[in-house]
Amino acid sequence: MPVAIPEIEPTSAALTPSDAALAARGDRLAFERLYRANVNRVFSVCARMVSDHALAEELTQDVFVRAWEKLEQFRGESSFSTWLHRLAVNVVLNHRKSDGRRRARITGADEEIESIAARASSVGDAMDLEVAIATLPAGAKRIFVLHDVEGYTHEEIAGMFGITAGGSKAQLHRARMLLREALAR
């Protein structure tokens, strides 16, 4: 006599095929249904790809922010959960790539710094640098601080300000030249 196995309803049972279409048109309730139906699955993907639980939670939220922004690109050729899974993988891979670049800048710089002979500096030198940075034009100062101090790439800066990566590089070059002139005085 066969044993009856109860059917387990998937979390997406409350979804309708049009939820993705409704959410793409700005329906927040439809997007909330999509979120609730898929959040555990997306978190599982993120948690498997990164070792830190808190980072996995942060990346899960990033996935849903990106999903909201890119929902109009969902064409319905696959299920929404398949599209969202691919988006989650891409978000994690992009995070790993940018994190790797950030770490390479930090660790690669350590060896270079150790090989450079330190010159004597005084408190006045640090104050001169701060004053010189403060006198930079606003655009050049922003690019200098974001790139040389905070470690953003030119592509990331370009995305933030709606400029080209070449424009960011030009502003950084300008800022560095102005700083050299100010500090040479």
Side-chain angles (χ1 to χ4, degrees), residues 57-132:
E57 288 177 347
E58 181 181 327
L59 291 171
T60 300
Q61 293 306 311
D62 288 348
V63 168
F64 283 99
V65 169
R66 293 252 172 79
W68 178 256
E69 294 170 347
K70 297 179 179 281
L71 203 53
E72 69 277 352
Q73 295 176 5
F74 175 64
R75 295 177 296 215
E77 294 172 357
S78 63
S79 70
F80 179 78
S81 61
T82 301
W83 177 79
L84 191 60
H85 180 273
R86 184 69 230 167
L87 184 65
V89 170
N90 288 343
V91 166
V92 174
L93 291 177
N94 285 339
H95 170 76
R96 283 175 149 182
K97 187 177 5 174
S98 65
D99 189 48
R101 278 185 288 204
R102 207 172 306 128
R103 287 178 194 226
R105 279 194 299 260
I106 293 169
T107 58
D110 289 346
E111 292 102 30
E112 293 174 19
I113 289 172
E114 289 175 10
S115 67
I116 298 173
R119 63 177 190 190
S121 66
S122 67
V123 175
D125 290 342
M127 289 175 27
D128 289 344
L129 179 60
E130 290 177 14
V131 170

Side-chain angles (χ1 to χ4, degrees), residues 157-164:
I157 294 169
M160 288 180 207
F161 295 111
I163 59 174
T164 64

